[in-house]
Structure formats: C-alpha cells, structure tokens
Amino acid sequence: MSSFSRRLDALHATRPVTVLGAAVIDVIADAYALPWRGCDIELKQQGVNIGGCALNIAIALKRLGITAQNALPVGHGVWADIIRQAMARQDLQSVVEAETGDNGWCLALVEPDGERTFMSFSGVENQWQQPWLDALNVPQNSLVYLSGYQLASPCGELLTGWLEGLQDVTTFIDFGPRIADIPDALMTRIMACKPIVSLNRQEAQLAAERWGVEDEMLGAHWQQRFGSVLIVRHDKDGAVWYDADASGHVPAFPATVVDTIGAGDSHAGGTLAGLAAGWSIADAVMLGNAVAAWVVSHRGGDCAPTREELLLAHKNV
C-alpha cells in the first residue's frame, strides 16, 4: 500500500465541520468560444447539475466519509425543488430552509480546453438572516467554511459579524474572484479572524494587485500583513502553502482535464477533510490536490470521488 493510500485509509474526523454557503443550479453548456458583443452562438448543453461552492464541498466531504453540518439555504421554487431532491439522493441535508424565495442558478460555459466561465443569478443563498445563523451549532475547535460569494454579497456584513462572535474555531475561506469586490473595512475584519485562505492562480494575482505586491511575493506579504495560512492552487503545477515562517510546494496528481467546474471547491473539500482529521497543512493540501485531479477528469462540479475511488486512482502514489 502506498503512503497516500495509508493516509487516506486512516482518514477519520477529529474536529467538527460546518459548511456555510450556496446550493445552486449549474446549467452547463459547451461553447466553442465565449460570446462577444452582438454575437449569436450555438451552445451544446451538457446537463443541469446541482452546484454552488458550499454544496460541492459538502458532497466532497460526504464522499470522503467526513460528517459536516451543512448550512445551505434551500428555498421554494423550480430550482429549489431540484436542489432538495438532488441533495436527498446524495443523503445530504441542510439545516437552513428559507420560508420564501427560490435558489439561484448559473450558466456555465465550458470551452474546448476545459476552462469554464460563469454567469450567475442570486437567490436565497445570498439572503442570509440572523435567525438562520442563531440556529447553527458550532462547537469549539470547529472548522467553518465560507465563500467569497456570500462575503461579497449584501449579507457579507451579517456573516462577518457572526464569524467574529464564534469562539475557538478555524475558518476556511475560498474568496474566489470576489476577493477583488470585498470592501477594505470588511476585508480587515474578516482577516482579523485569521482564516485559512485558498486562492487559485488568477485569484492570487488579483490579491497581489490589491495589496500592491509582485505575484511571487504574495505569500511572504500575506504572512506579514495577516499572519494566517494561505494556499495558492496552481492547477497542473500543484499548490503552494504559506504558514508563518514555513512554506511548501505540493505536487499535482495526474489528470486528463475534461471540465474544470468545481475543481477549486473540491480542492477545498479535500483540504478540509484532511484538516478535520488533524492532518498538517501540507498533507491536507495533498488530499485537496488528489480530489481536484479526480474532479477535473470528470464532467460536472458535483462529481467528487469516494475514498475507494481515490484509493484506486492513486494506489501507486
């Protein structure tokens, strides 16, 4: 048995996990090119999948055998009904149900090289209310996931205030492209909570631009400015992590890319699973790399692997 297989075989949560964020619908279509102004292009629909950053993470954790409290608002309407039924088939439940309003959806255009572009419509997932937050049970020593999509929405202030009131938790934030949209004052409050932050290559460039540093200096600047863990995902080139004076590079796992939808979310899910089991940042990122490699090799963002599938795929690693 390989070293990775031995670690994965012993993956058992020792910390509670709360996943807070969006469950939405992804309408996925192949596009030979992105549309330009005034054009009329023909799309080929791949499918209609459940998605949303938090839901993709909830699926990844579930399939890896990690139990989580899923706080994914589900409303009432055409899209919400599809989400509720799909979650039931995955044996997933949300502890948050909106009394009114439908869930959001997005059109995901996938180009021939697998790159994806989203056009999103918001729903109840960005309409957080204090009673929903008050009902959550977040014990000490928990891991709490949040997405930049919610933090950059009008409910960002509410969510940040809730986060500031939690005791002895570790927050994991994937800001996504919304890292450029969060106001400075709110960003200061969020980063004062010392979250673990995961960014992809493009988002890291946005962060470097925001704080006026060269791309290659972002990790050192991040530690000096915020003193919190930073993970930067470089897809086929693996990922790098920065934690205080330590840093490291974790190689990517082999993958044949067919669709990058959900790759970052699934990476976060794998990393969270490792952290929940008490693994080091480096080992947790390794698990994130493995899960992401599987997801980009399959269609749709909700296709995270089971532990057995990962063991089979990477038995020689």
Side-chain angles (χ1 to χ4, degrees):
M1 182 180 288
S2 69
S3 58
F4 176 74
S5 297
R6 285 194 297 271
R7 294 303 308 272
L8 193 58
D9 198 45
L11 183 71
H12 302 290
T14 61
R15 304 179 64 181
V17 182
T18 291
V19 178
L20 186 152
V24 298
I25 293 293
D26 290 334
V27 179
I28 305 172
D30 289 322
Y32 61 83
L34 294 183
W36 55 96
R37 187 182 184 198
C39 75
D40 181 1
I41 68 171
E42 185 78 14
L43 303 177
K44 181 181 179 182
Q45 183 171 309
Q46 287 184 20
V48 178
N49 298 346
I50 58 171
C53 297
L55 182 52
N56 289 337
I57 289 169
I59 290 171
L61 289 170
K62 177 76 173 181
R63 292 183 178 167
L64 290 172
I66 304 296
T67 300
Q69 173 181 232
N70 297 314
L72 319 175
V74 181
H76 299 274
V78 174
W79 301 123
D81 289 345
I82 295 174
I83 290 169
R84 190 175 284 105
Q85 293 166 13
M87 288 182 66
R89 288 195 296 271
Q90 301 267 10
D91 194 26
L92 287 172
Q93 294 81 36
S94 173
V95 296
V96 178
E97 180 161 335
E99 293 183 1
T100 60
D102 204 350
N103 286 65
W105 68 284
C106 77
L107 175 61
L109 302 182
V110 182
E111 295 177 85
D113 65 355
E115 185 57 86
R116 79 284 184 273
T117 300
F118 294 109
M119 288 170 280
S120 302
F121 299 82
S122 287
V124 295
E125 68 280 353
N126 286 333
Q127 297 169 8
W128 277 84
Q129 303 170 21
Q130 190 63 51
W132 297 355
L133 296 169
D134 292 341
L136 299 181
N137 177 30
V138 184
Q140 291 186 345
N141 198 39
S142 288
L143 287 157
V144 178
Y145 167 86
L146 283 165
S147 166
Y149 285 96
Q150 278 67 61
L151 292 170
S153 76
C155 62
E157 289 270 356
L158 177 67
L159 293 174
T160 302
W162 171 76
L163 182 61
E164 291 169 329
L166 298 178
Q167 298 296 318
D168 189 27
V169 304
T170 301
T171 308
F172 186 107
I173 298 177
D174 185 345
F175 283 110
R178 295 293 190 264
I179 193 168
D181 303 329
I182 297 173
D184 289 342
L186 189 60
M187 179 65 81
T188 298
R189 291 172 56 195
I190 293 168
M191 293 308 302
C193 297
K194 303 297 183 185
I196 297 171
V197 173
S198 181
L199 304 173
N200 69 20
R201 190 193 307 263
Q202 292 78 17
E203 294 152 7
Q205 291 171 349
L206 290 174
E209 291 174 9
R210 176 168 185 160
W211 285 291
V213 298
E214 297 296 325
D215 292 357
E216 62 271 16
M217 296 302 297
L218 178 63
H221 178 80
W222 194 275
Q223 294 308 308
Q224 183 179 23
R225 188 183 190 102
F226 301 121
S228 68
V229 176
L230 174 66
I231 300 165
V232 182
R233 312 184 306 273
H234 291 283
D235 40 76
K236 62 181 174 54
D237 296 320
V240 294
W241 56 269
Y242 305 88
D243 184 7
D245 295 330
S247 63
H249 172 260
V250 183
F253 284 70
T256 300
V257 177
V258 298
D259 182 348
T260 60
I261 293 173
D265 303 334
S266 300
H267 191 283
T271 304
L272 278 166
L275 294 173
W279 292 11
S280 68
I281 286 291
D283 285 345
V285 170
M286 176 183 64
L287 181 53
N289 285 0
V291 174
W294 173 280
V295 169
V296 299
S297 302
H298 297 77
R299 292 287 187 182
D302 58 348
C303 61
T306 63
R307 193 181 312 198
E308 292 71 22
E309 287 171 330
L310 269 190
L311 285 169
L312 184 61
H314 304 301
K315 59 184 177 182
N316 297 320
V317 177

